[in-house]
Amino acid sequence: MKKMAEKRSRWIALGHAEYLEIPYEKEFFSVVKASERVVCHFYRENWPCKLLLFPLEIWNNLLLMLYVKHRQKLVMDKHLSILAKQHIETRFVKINAEKSLYLSEKLRIVVLPTLALVKNAIVED
């Protein structure tokens, strides 16, 4: 019991039980080294399009596509934050794949969103 309480407090001190964003890819390596289990959500930020020269039909389709992608990110964030609170032994983080090109290339991330499962500093397939 005492060992489990110590583990729990150590995990919470490391940032477990929260779903946080990693702003820089260098932080990813420190997070992975510090925690035994990590779930990392690679996402892409959807920037609004500023071109207003599209015909109305294309513009509506573009807005619908951006809305759907934004909703998918919100749904993923919601579920991962719930899982982070339920599974304190695992650290849940997210990182913008466009800002971390080196990491995305090394982990062979092609489709977004992608979840990378890291156990003992090794990405699991």
Side-chain angles (χ1 to χ4, degrees):
M1 286 273 253
K2 192 173 184 179
K3 286 183 183 180
M4 192 56 149
E6 288 174 0
K7 279 186 178 181
R8 246 173 130 61
S9 62
R10 187 173 57 91
W11 287 333
I12 290 173
L14 285 172
H16 291 235
E18 294 180 53
Y19 177 57
L20 301 173
E21 181 166 6
I22 300 173
Y24 308 106
E25 61 186 343
K26 287 184 181 180
E27 274 187 51
F28 174 82
F29 298 106
S30 61
V31 165
V32 167
K33 288 178 186 175
S35 299
E36 185 179 328
R37 296 180 193 156
V38 177
V39 173
C40 185
H41 171 211
F42 286 86
Y43 72 95
R44 178 180 177 209
E45 197 65 50
N46 292 316
W47 295 314
C49 185
K50 294 182 180 177
L51 297 174
L52 299 174
L53 302 176
F54 292 126
L56 187 59
E57 181 180 310
I58 295 173
W59 181 247
N60 286 338
N61 289 340
L62 201 92
L63 287 177
L64 180 62
M65 184 181 72
L66 287 174
Y67 175 75
V68 168
K69 289 289 184 184
H70 179 69
R71 293 288 299 161
Q72 287 174 347
K73 181 180 174 273
L74 291 178
V75 168
M76 185 75 104
D77 287 348
K78 176 186 167 193
H79 289 292
L80 288 176
S81 64
I82 291 170
L83 285 172
K85 292 172 185 157
Q86 291 176 350
H87 296 278
I88 297 175
E89 73 280 0
T90 304
R91 181 136 187 220
F92 288 81
V93 294
K94 66 180 175 177
I95 189 165
N96 189 335
E98 290 181 329
K99 292 182 181 177
S100 56
L101 296 176
Y102 172 79
L103 191 58
S104 299
E105 184 179 312
K106 284 295 179 184
L107 297 178
R108 294 186 213 125
I109 294 173
V110 180
V111 179
L112 294 174
T114 297
L115 286 180
L117 308 175
V118 184
K119 187 173 183 181
N120 297 324
I122 299 171
V123 177
E124 299 286 326
D125 286 337

